[in-house]
């Protein structure tokens, strides 16, 4: 199931995707700062179309995910261009399924 492993960082990775590579607590802090500066939480983070929300799910970063979910314009059901699935689908299908991540997405209105 290597399709769920996050790829190595690329030269054209967005600041939000780069933040998700940090340890979870630091990632959440960095994401909050980036969102306050105006980063779009729904914008694809690289040329493949990976979304920050989906990257959090893939990396198992609950705090980072929660930081994104608190943003008022987050689109929880937006489809990730790299995997052609939304964050909830990736959470459920991931080989390392984490119930707290799926529960956070459902609480935010994911389908």
């Amino acid at each position: 199931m290597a399709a769920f492993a996050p790829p190595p960082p690329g030269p054209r990775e967005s600041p939000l995707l780069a933040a998700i590579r940090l340890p979870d607590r630091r990632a959440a802090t960095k994401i909050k700062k980036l969102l306050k500066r105006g980063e779009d939480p729904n914008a694809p983070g690289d040329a493949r179309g990976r979304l920050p929300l989906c990257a959090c799910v893939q990396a198992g970063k609950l705090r980072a995910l929660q930081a994104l979910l608190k943003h008022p314009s987050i689109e929880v059901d937006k489809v990730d261009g790299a995997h052609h699935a939304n964050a909830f689908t990736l959470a459920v299908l991931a080989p390392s399924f984490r119930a707290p991540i799926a529960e956070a997405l459902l609480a935010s209105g994911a389908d």
Side-chain angles (χ1 to χ4, degrees):
M1 293 266 158
F4 290 97
R12 296 186 182 162
E13 190 173 68
S14 75
L16 283 173
L17 282 188
I20 293 163
R21 295 187 182 288
L22 298 170
D24 196 21
R25 192 176 302 260
R26 286 181 52 210
T29 300
K30 180 73 172 177
I31 287 168
K32 288 174 191 174
K33 289 178 184 176
L34 290 168
L35 292 174
K36 279 186 180 180
R37 277 199 251 152
E39 288 287 329
D40 181 355
N42 302 306
D46 62 13
R48 293 179 46 218
R50 289 186 307 138
L51 299 174
L53 200 61
C54 293
C56 285
V57 169
Q58 289 177 288
K61 305 282 178 86
L62 179 59
R63 286 185 175 103
L65 178 87
Q66 290 167 330
L68 285 168
L69 289 173
K70 287 180 182 176
H71 194 276
S73 68
I74 192 72
E75 296 175 26
V76 295
D77 288 322
K78 188 168 182 178
V79 173
D80 181 274
H83 299 97
H84 309 292
N86 66 22
F88 183 72
T89 302
L90 290 176
V92 172
L93 296 177
S96 58
F97 174 75
R98 293 179 178 96
I101 287 177
E103 289 168 359
L105 289 164
L106 285 174
S108 293
D111 289 331

